Amino acid sequence: MKLQSTKLLGTASVLALLASSAATPANAAASNGLYFGGSTLASEAFRQIFDCYTGATVGASGWTDGFTFSSSFNANTPTPGLLPNTCTIVTSVQGMYAGVGSGNGLRGYISNKPSQWYGGTVTPPATFSLTSTSQQPLFPSAQPPYVDTLNTTFGSYPYPRVDVGLGDSPLPATLAAMTTSSITFTPTTNWNSLPATVTASGSTNVSYNTSSWGQPLQLPAFEVPVAIPVNLSFTPNSQVKSGGNIVAGGAIQLSGAQLCAIFSGLVTDWSSSTSIPTLDSTGTLVSQPFYYTNVGNGIGTAAQYTTTSAPIKVVYRSDGSGTSFILTNYLKAVCPLIDKNGTAKYATIFGATNLPSTSFSNLIANINNTTITNNWVGATGSGGVQSGVANTSNSIGYVSGDFVKPFAIASNAPNSASVQNEYQRIHGTYIPATTTTTSPTFIAPTPAAVNTAWGDAALTPPSTTSTWAAYNVYGINYPATEPSTNHGGLSVGGLSVLPLTNGNGAYPLSGTTFLYLYSCYGNNTNGQNLINFLNWFYQNPTANQAPAILRNNSFSALTSAWQTRIKNGVLTAGSGVAIALASGGSKDGCTGVTGGANP
């Protein structure tokens, strides 16, 4: 099925996409591709969304994506690995996704070179097991597979072009800053065959080319909770189980003050009795022992998590990571407010100008204490952190919610923590409930909780005429006049909204994955296929299964305000700012452009 209309919303041709039909388990008929690359956080979700859009899974001979169309799919349970059997089918178009990390996704996007969607030296195995704990994720990540061994049209790498880059951190705010180091890759065997070994060599600086590709665009794709996975040798009092299993966010319940203490290196052992700075409901500084939230299940008096030394292993992203950006954006907003007298040096560590950042090494450099950070563990990709926490006792890390139980596909995925939010701090909820409950007192990384965070009235979408920078949700700050009475005595003017939202039930470590797009695409068929997909993805009617797939992965579709702005702006032909085709005669995103991206 091919859509011909370039008027994107409300047309019969677009609505025809929404007809449901039985999905087949695999499809080798697609001949047109959509090529995405970047964020490993978004990789599993977009693989499933592409499967649903085409109505088929990808791969064969050990390189299958592992997903199954099933009537048992239930986004509210959740059901990891299952897809709805009522998906739309567009049999001529197949989406491919290379999970190379946000930093590499940005590099490929700015240079418009698919060869840049690579992460260095890597040798893929001849086969890959989705359940194996011994195989490390490849770069590009092999889970989900970045080639389709069933359909030879999509069986080679690098991809023939860059359609969309993805990252969990925003684009640079100015065109002058939109440069990247373009790296030369030299395959020692045929790069288009698997397995292959590819090495990186010299680099040159490349700038974004507006005359060829139009203006840069960044659209939030969906709402993301960044979970805090843990692997503990002890059982916290605050742990929450139901039916014998740890519930979502039930592994341990942690306050923001405890996260600041751990990620600053102030506390290095789970057995610690060190006093850490905390805030009461009026914003007054209070000192508490590190273990002060260790209550629950009938235990009302906090005690050490363990009396045996249990050094804290922080598992972090060693590659360029948008997940690191979301975490450090949270720490930068929250921690300096807690350490009012400066004794914990949070302002120096988290408040430095090099944060937030896609590079966790910036935070390590700010701590500047190798005795602490030498005990921390670097890992590549979200799958690497997932595996690192799962295989490292007494560890803590950070990944998107689809890499922890109950949303994760991997059988060895770790459980995650619940985190105290600002609403709870303001209303005097400092510790978990001491009685046995079926859900945590603090906030778990769930679709409903991240959607509540995005529902903050201060997180408003941009106007129609705004540039790409206005779509940077992390750059939406509270106004200087924001009353401290709204935030429990804290002055938050000028600080990022998402980490400090005081919504009841809002998950504080919330963010997004951005789609990095060009405003002008040159090839009518390829460009129109992309536009059709984006229109389907953002329409969110009842028959569109993308929101349900997102919920099944711990994410949430954008709030209606953000969806409306995207649909009425960059996805409405004639709005003046819409994505356009150079061959279509549109004066929207192709104004002043010669050729368009990927002619």
Side-chain angles (χ1 to χ4, degrees):
M1 182 186 300
K2 183 182 293 184
L3 303 186
Q4 301 299 330
S5 172
T6 57
K7 191 72 173 178
L8 299 181
L9 294 180
T11 67
S13 59
V14 168
L15 294 177
L17 268 177
L18 305 178
S20 297
S21 61
T24 55
N27 173 31
S31 57
N32 297 310
L34 299 173
Y35 297 101
F36 287 34
S39 165
T40 59
L41 180 157
S43 60
E44 298 282 4
F46 263 101
R47 179 66 267 149
Q48 295 171 60
I49 288 167
F50 282 149
D51 285 355
C52 185
Y53 187 67
T54 303
T57 57
V58 302
S61 303
W63 275 72
T64 59
D65 61 27
F67 304 120
T68 304
F69 294 96
S70 173
S71 59
S72 297
F73 172 88
N74 187 335
N76 300 314
T77 299
T79 49
L82 297 186
L83 295 170
N85 62 356
T86 56
C87 282
T88 299
I89 298 177
V90 185
T91 57
S92 63
V93 179
Q94 179 166 301
M96 298 307 302
Y97 194 103
V100 294
S102 294
N104 293 308
L106 178 63
R107 189 176 73 231
Y109 165 76
I110 289 177
S111 63
N112 193 236
K113 293 180 179 179
S115 62
Q116 299 304 300
W117 281 346
Y118 220 83
T121 302
V122 62
T123 303
T127 61
F128 183 81
S129 170
L130 291 172
T131 59
S132 171
T133 58
S134 62
Q135 293 178 338
Q136 293 298 311
L138 305 181
F139 212 29
S141 177
Q143 183 184 349
Y146 55 91
V147 293
D148 185 358
T149 52
L150 184 68
N151 185 333
T152 56
T153 301
F154 308 102
S156 63
Y157 196 82
Y159 298 146
R161 63 179 185 274
V162 171
D163 286 330
V164 181
L166 288 95
D168 318 309
S169 58
L171 291 174
T174 65
L175 281 171
M178 209 165 292
T179 61
T180 187
S181 178
S182 181
I183 302 172
T184 300
F185 292 101
T186 306
T188 56
T189 58
N190 183 2
W191 194 353
N192 291 328
S193 300
L194 294 174
T197 300
V198 183
T199 57
S201 55
S203 63
T204 58
N205 288 333
V206 176
S207 298
Y208 184 94
N209 190 336
T210 55
S211 62
S212 295
W213 314 321
Q215 292 296 310
L217 297 173
Q218 64 180 354
L219 300 180
F222 46 78
E223 303 165 3
V224 171
V226 169
I228 303 297
V230 294
N231 179 0
L232 305 174
S233 62
F234 54 91
T235 301
N237 295 331
S238 63
Q239 188 174 96
V240 179
K241 289 184 176 182
S242 179
N245 297 317
I246 296 175
V247 303
I252 189 173
Q253 299 189 60
L254 298 171
S255 67
Q258 288 174 300
L259 291 180
C260 295
I262 291 171
F263 283 101
S264 66
L266 176 62
V267 173
T268 60
D269 199 295
W270 289 106
S271 67
S272 175
S273 299
T274 298
S275 294
I276 64 172
T278 66
L279 295 176
D280 69 8
S281 61
T282 66
T284 301
L285 180 65
V286 180
S287 182
Q288 297 279 10
F290 170 66
Y291 56 77
Y292 77 102
T293 67
N294 189 30
V295 298
N297 293 298
I299 299 173
T301 301
Q304 289 172 268
Y305 285 111
T306 174
T307 56
T308 302
S309 178
I312 298 173
K313 304 280 189 178
V314 173
V315 182
Y316 64 91
R317 286 285 294 274
S318 56
D319 56 313
S321 162
T323 318
S324 293
F325 186 97
I326 297 174
L327 174 73
T328 55
N329 186 61
Y330 167 83
L331 296 172
K332 184 181 181 73
V334 172
C335 300
L337 293 174
I338 294 175
D339 185 26
K340 287 187 172 184
N341 61 15
T343 56
K345 300 182 179 179
Y346 288 169
T348 300
I349 294 171
F350 301 115
T353 57
N354 63 352
L355 295 179
S357 176
T358 59
S359 176
F360 194 85
S361 63
N362 285 353
L363 175 57
I364 291 176
N366 294 348
I367 294 172
N368 193 26
N369 188 329
T370 56
T371 301
I372 295 171
T373 57
N374 280 346
N375 205 35
W376 294 5
V377 182
T380 299
S382 298
V385 174
Q386 178 193 62
S387 178
V389 172
N391 295 319
T392 306
S393 182
N394 295 313
S395 61
I396 185 171
Y398 57 97
V399 290
S400 54
D402 58 334
F403 283 87
V404 296
K405 294 177 180 178
F407 300 96
I409 297 167
S411 59
N412 68 329
N415 289 290
S416 68
S418 291
V419 181
Q420 179 197 35
N421 68 6
E422 274 298 281
Y423 179 91
Q424 293 175 318
R425 195 268 307 170
I426 293 168
H427 289 80
T429 301
Y430 308 125
I431 61 175
T434 58
T435 57
T436 301
T437 63
T438 57
S439 61
T441 302
F442 292 168
I443 312 302
T446 64
V450 71
N451 193 241
T452 300
W454 273 71
D456 194 301
L459 200 74
T460 55
S463 65
T464 303
T465 56
S466 297
T467 66
W468 75 92
Y471 284 87
N472 173 13
V473 297
Y474 309 111
I476 299 177
N477 302 324
Y478 286 109
T481 56
E482 180 75 7
S484 61
T485 53
N486 292 349
H487 297 272
L490 298 181
S491 298
V492 299
L495 297 179
S496 185
V497 170
L498 271 178
L500 294 167
T501 177
N502 58 5
N504 185 8
Y507 186 68
L509 279 85
S510 295
T512 192
T513 289
F514 293 102
L515 303 183
Y516 304 147
L517 298 150
Y518 308 104
S519 70
C520 185
Y521 288 85
N523 183 293
N524 186 67
T525 300
N526 296 334
Q528 189 64 56
N529 285 337
L530 174 61
I531 290 172
N532 291 340
F533 171 78
L534 294 172
N535 186 51
W536 170 83
F537 178 71
Y538 282 110
Q539 274 195 98
N540 192 21
T542 303
N544 182 350
Q545 297 294 340
I549 292 172
L550 291 173
R551 290 197 304 275
N552 200 41
N553 284 273
S554 84
F555 307 134
S556 177
L558 298 178
T559 62
S560 59
W562 280 88
Q563 287 190 17
T564 299
R565 171 52 54 223
I566 291 171
K567 290 186 289 188
N568 293 345
V570 296
L571 292 179
T572 296
S575 65
V577 295
I579 298 171
L581 304 177
S583 56
S586 171
K587 297 301 182 183
D588 287 317
C590 287
T591 301
V593 179
T594 302
N598 307 319

